[in-house]
């Protein structure tokens, strides 16, 4: 365990320094003398990527519709008015750039070492992952001149978001070729290539085939977003033509990072630490609760509205959700609110853990849902997202893949159930996933992913958001795909759910409505848009202080769009 956590502690130093010491470490020289080496930096950087994912997930949950202010608190200010200041989302900027810098270090240090090709390829893939996160929230960002060092450039230029995306696709192509070339070289001379050992790879334990599959899926994600922009189709069309039409070449299992998380202080899973318990048993999240909007995708909410009946995932995720013997979700016990409602009598956060933890006490290692336990793996990309990406690509004829969009859509729903039903060890234990007690008072221990997906489909047989055969038009099919992706990403990747809403306008909202189940816009929104929502994050103030000649001016969280947002 000490060996495993050696690179977690290093990550806390390197990533922490790159996130907090300066506004942006792209102005530091990564070639300065260091006591570290690529094989040591790579694993801590991968662990850092997991922490970064959690930062994006939690910090964008208010904007994304997944959480609201709890009763008993006031003065939420910019959270509910959307009158953000430049430093509101600085943590997104700092954590992604800090993490990307560590991967850039690995890339630079291995550039003249062909035997380290696999380390270099992994770093390229993860750097692309980091920058995809940055572009999706900030659009234009320093990229080609980033990480050049103090001696070369104090003021890196900003690259257009779509240009960054194009190069990320190219870098992913290069990384996959590096891995394949390394396989060929190793087959001829095993000593010519340094193998990535499990202790250096807390994501795939050195399995380079899995890294290719992840790179393919990330590339698909970038291309699907780009392809909606007519001017970019001359780039995306030939790139799609290069891609595999075999679903086995895209992730089919949840991608998680787990360096050996445990219940001990300093070694705990980031999601669990954000949503359930801290090491001392106290609650970390007392000022936020679930939204009526989000709960309406699981059952009938307190305001009497509901879009879908989903007793199974509701009970897995939400503290206080119950289900009767007729499989009807009862959400009245879930602490919930509409963002911006600061009136008297609003629900307070639960007295133990949070609205998103259904596991009982803080030492429970057998819980399911989003916050499973302190030892759970940190999700990077769940299989459900991959399946829904493939479904959209098939629907829009970008790729002829996997039996078509309907099959992939249903596979995405199943994959969502499967992730939530997994315990911290990553397996589905039928004896642990019972979700309520039957009329005879005995626990139902017959739950299964397949059985509950079938019941879910039966309960919602009349809904085109669940029964894909009822989605009669391409627009209706896309709505079903994106709505189910939004549900699957709830409190796992809220930032991606928000980006997909901005890109597609799904799930549908009622613009300007004050109904808590019709929209996730804050009741105190100052947005001039019809939907009363925001469009992006603002650049941190440090950029205006230190790089004023390059940082884009006149950016608005209400009118400035990410390049793939045509709405």
């Amino acid at each position: 365990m000490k060996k495993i956590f050696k690179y977690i502690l290093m990550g806390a130093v390197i990533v922490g320094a790159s996130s907090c010491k300066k506004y942006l470490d792209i102005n530091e020289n990564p070639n300065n003398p260091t006591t570290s080496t690529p094989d040591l930096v790579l694993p801590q950087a991968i662990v850092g990527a997991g922490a970064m994912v959690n930062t994006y997930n939690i910090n964008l949950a208010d904007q994304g519709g997944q959480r609201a202010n709890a009763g008993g608190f006031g003065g939420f200010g910019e959270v509910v008015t959307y009158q953000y200041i430049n430093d509101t989302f600085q943590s997104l900027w700092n954590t992604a750039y800090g993490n990307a810098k560590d991967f850039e270090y690995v890339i630079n240090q291995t550039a003249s070492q062909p035997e380290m090709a696999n380390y270099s390829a992994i770093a390229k893939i993860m750097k692309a992952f980091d920058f995809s996160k940055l572009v999706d929230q900030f659009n234009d960002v320093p990229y080609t001149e980033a990480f050049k060092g103090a001696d070369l450039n104090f003021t890196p230029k900003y690259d257009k978001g779509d240009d960054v995306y194009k190069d990320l696709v190219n870098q992913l192509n290069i990384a996959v070729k590096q891995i394949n070339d390394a396989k060929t070289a190793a087959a001829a001379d095993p000593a010519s290539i340094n193998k990535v050992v499990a202790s250096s790879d807390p994501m795939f334990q050195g399995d380079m085939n899995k890294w290719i599959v992840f790179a393919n899926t990330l590339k698909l994600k970038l291309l699907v977003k780009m392809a909606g922009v007519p001017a970019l189709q001359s780039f995306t069309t030939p790139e799609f033509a290069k891609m595999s039409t075999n679903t086995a070449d895209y992730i089919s299992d949840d991608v998680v990072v787990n360096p050996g998380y445990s219940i001990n202080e300093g070694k705990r899973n980031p999601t669990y630490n954000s949503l359930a318990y801290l090491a001392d048993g106290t609650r970390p999240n007392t000022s936020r609760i679930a939204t009526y909007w989000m709960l309406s995708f699981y059952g009938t909410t307190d305001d009497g509205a509901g879009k879908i009946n989903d007793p199974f995932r509701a009970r897995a995720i939400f503290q206080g959700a119950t289900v009767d013997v007729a499989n009807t979700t009862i959400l009245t016990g879930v602490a919930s609110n509409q963002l911006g409602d600061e009136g008297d009598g609003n629900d307070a956060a639960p007295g133990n853990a949070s609205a998103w933890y259904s596991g009982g006490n803080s030492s429970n290692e057998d819980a399911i849902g989003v916050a499973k336990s302190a030892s759970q793996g940190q999700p990077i990309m769940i299989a459900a997202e991959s399946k829904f990406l493939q479904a959209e690509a098939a629907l829009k004829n970008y790729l002829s893949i996997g039996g078509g969009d309907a099959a992939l859509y249903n596979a995405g729903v199943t994959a969502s159930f499967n992730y939530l039903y997994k315990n911290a060890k990553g397996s589905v234990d039928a004896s642990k996933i019972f979700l309520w007690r039957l009329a005879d008072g005995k626990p139902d221990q017959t739950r299964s992913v397949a059985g509950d997906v079938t019941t879910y489909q039966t309960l919602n047989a009349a809904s085109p958001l669940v029964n894909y055969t009822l989605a009669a038009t391409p627009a209706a099919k896309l709505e079903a795909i994106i709505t189910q992706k939004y549900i699957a990403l709830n409190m796992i990747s809220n930032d991606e759910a928000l980006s997909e809403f901005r890109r597609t306008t799904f799930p549908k909202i009622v613009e300007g409505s004050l109904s808590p189940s019709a929209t996730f816009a804050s009741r105190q929104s100052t947005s001039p848009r019809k939907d009363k929502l925001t469009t992006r994050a603002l650049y941190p103030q440090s950029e205006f202080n230190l790089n004023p000649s390059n940082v884009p001016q006149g950016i608005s969280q209400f009118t400035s769009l990410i390049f793939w947002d045509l709405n």
Side-chain angles (χ1 to χ4, degrees):
M1 186 63 69
K2 287 183 179 179
K3 183 177 180 180
I4 292 174
F5 272 95
K6 174 172 64 178
Y7 55 75
I8 291 184
L9 294 175
M10 182 183 299
V13 173
I14 296 179
V15 176
S18 62
S19 297
C20 301
K21 185 174 67 174
K22 274 194 175 182
Y23 82 109
L24 178 60
D25 269 339
I26 60 173
N27 293 321
E28 291 185 358
N29 188 351
N31 299 312
N32 281 341
T34 176
T35 58
S36 195
T37 57
D39 57 322
L40 291 176
V41 172
L42 181 65
Q44 65 83 16
I46 295 173
V47 175
M52 183 268 293
V53 167
N54 184 59
T55 297
Y56 273 68
N57 176 46
I58 298 301
N59 279 274
L60 290 168
D62 300 303
Q63 278 185 289
Q66 293 84 9
R67 73 178 188 178
N69 46 290
F73 293 85
F76 282 91
E78 66 196 49
V79 171
V80 295
T81 64
Y82 302 147
Q83 285 296 319
Y84 302 131
I85 60 173
N86 290 103
D87 283 345
T88 298
F89 295 109
Q90 183 165 334
S91 62
L92 305 182
W93 185 269
N94 286 352
T95 55
Y97 268 109
N99 191 235
K101 183 191 172 183
D102 286 343
F103 290 119
E104 181 73 4
Y105 172 85
V106 175
I107 294 168
N108 290 339
Q109 293 298 308
T110 57
S112 60
Q113 302 179 57
E115 71 277 10
M116 297 289 283
N118 286 330
Y119 285 85
S120 175
I122 291 172
K124 287 184 175 71
I125 294 167
M126 292 306 295
K127 179 185 171 186
F129 178 75
D130 286 345
F131 271 96
S132 72
K133 291 279 191 183
L134 280 161
V135 171
D136 284 351
Q137 299 305 323
F138 295 98
N139 201 38
D140 301 347
V141 296
Y143 178 68
T144 55
E145 293 184 1
F147 312 115
K148 295 300 185 183
D151 295 336
L152 298 178
N153 189 3
F154 277 103
T155 56
K157 73 171 185 176
Y158 276 63
D159 297 279
K160 296 294 184 184
D162 54 326
D163 289 337
V164 177
Y165 254 49
K166 287 178 183 178
D167 195 65
L168 299 184
V169 169
N170 292 334
Q171 293 303 312
L172 290 169
N173 289 338
I174 291 169
V176 170
K177 185 177 186 302
Q178 276 187 279
I179 296 170
N180 285 325
D181 288 349
K183 288 181 186 178
T184 302
D189 179 10
S192 67
I193 299 295
N194 287 2
K195 182 179 180 181
V196 179
V197 296
S199 60
S200 291
D201 179 6
M203 199 152 103
F204 292 126
Q205 293 71 53
D207 188 331
M208 299 311 298
N209 290 325
K210 290 183 178 179
W211 277 107
I212 290 177
V213 168
F214 179 61
N216 290 342
T217 311
L218 180 55
K219 179 181 173 181
L220 179 64
K221 180 175 178 176
L222 299 173
L223 291 176
V224 165
K225 288 182 176 179
M226 296 175 74
V229 182
L232 297 178
Q233 290 171 3
S234 61
F235 176 84
T236 61
T237 299
E239 288 295 334
F240 276 124
K242 301 175 187 176
M243 300 196 72
S244 172
T245 59
N246 186 347
T247 58
D249 291 323
Y250 304 91
I251 64 170
S252 57
D253 197 7
D254 306 303
V255 176
V256 300
V257 170
N258 198 336
Y261 295 122
S262 76
I263 199 168
N264 298 317
E265 178 68 48
K267 301 179 180 180
R268 298 163 65 81
N269 171 274
T271 291
Y272 185 84
N273 242 31
S274 296
L275 296 179
Y277 292 97
L278 299 175
D280 61 4
T282 59
R283 295 179 295 155
N285 197 329
T286 59
S287 64
R288 297 292 198 281
I289 53 179
T291 59
Y292 293 123
W293 159 264
M294 198 71 238
L295 291 177
S296 70
F297 292 100
Y298 298 89
T300 303
T301 62
D302 283 354
D303 71 330
K307 302 177 181 71
I308 298 172
N309 183 24
D310 189 350
F312 310 107
R313 287 184 288 184
R315 186 62 185 87
I317 298 171
F318 297 108
Q319 182 178 163
T322 57
V323 182
D324 64 20
V325 293
N327 287 327
T328 300
T329 317
I330 302 172
L331 297 169
T332 54
V334 180
S336 49
N337 191 25
Q338 183 178 13
L339 187 67
D341 184 351
E342 295 186 85
D344 294 336
N346 287 338
D347 288 347
N352 59 316
S354 73
W356 302 278
Y357 179 68
S358 60
N361 65 60
S362 61
S363 62
N364 185 355
E365 292 292 296
D366 294 313
I368 61 174
V370 172
K372 305 173 190 293
S373 85
S375 61
Q376 73 183 77
Q378 178 62 36
I380 296 294
M381 181 186 290
I382 59 173
E385 182 180 353
S386 172
K387 295 299 182 183
F388 290 127
L389 276 169
Q390 294 171 64
E392 182 176 351
L395 171 66
K396 294 181 175 178
N397 296 315
Y398 299 149
L399 290 175
S400 177
I401 185 171
D405 52 295
L408 289 162
Y409 165 87
N410 287 319
V413 173
T414 299
S416 173
F417 274 72
N418 191 62
Y419 176 77
L420 293 174
Y421 277 22
K422 286 180 179 179
N423 57 26
K425 298 178 180 66
S427 60
V428 177
D429 183 346
S431 69
K432 302 295 184 183
I433 64 173
F434 62 89
L435 304 181
W436 64 90
R437 290 181 179 271
L438 302 178
D440 61 6
K442 296 180 180 179
D444 180 358
Q445 295 182 323
T446 63
R447 303 259 65 81
S448 70
V449 171
D452 287 354
V453 169
T454 297
T455 304
Y456 172 66
Q457 293 168 332
T458 300
L459 290 170
N460 299 281
S463 171
L465 297 178
V466 178
N467 184 352
Y468 197 74
T469 62
L470 296 180
T473 66
K477 293 179 188 297
L478 182 62
E479 180 182 5
I481 291 168
I482 301 300
T483 299
Q484 285 292 339
K485 183 192 287 190
Y486 185 89
I487 296 168
L489 296 177
N490 178 26
M491 299 310 290
I492 297 169
S493 186
N494 294 323
D495 59 302
E496 183 62 23
L498 175 60
S499 292
E500 290 296 77
F501 170 81
R502 287 170 171 167
R503 180 176 70 91
T504 67
T505 71
F506 298 129
K508 284 183 179 177
I509 66 169
V510 179
E511 293 184 336
S513 174
L514 292 178
S515 169
S517 296
T519 180
F520 57 90
S522 171
R523 293 181 69 89
Q524 297 184 44
S525 171
T526 59
S527 172
R529 294 170 54 88
K530 289 182 180 179
D531 61 16
K532 306 301 291 182
L533 294 168
T534 63
T535 59
R536 56 162 295 148
L538 298 178
Y539 294 114
Q541 184 60 43
S542 52
E543 281 295 279
F544 294 95
N545 295 341
L546 299 174
N547 195 7
S549 62
N550 288 311
V551 61
Q553 304 294 316
I555 297 298
S556 166
Q557 68 268 41
F558 303 129
T559 59
S560 302
L561 305 178
I562 308 301
F563 79 90
W564 40 248
D565 184 354
L566 305 182
N567 302 300

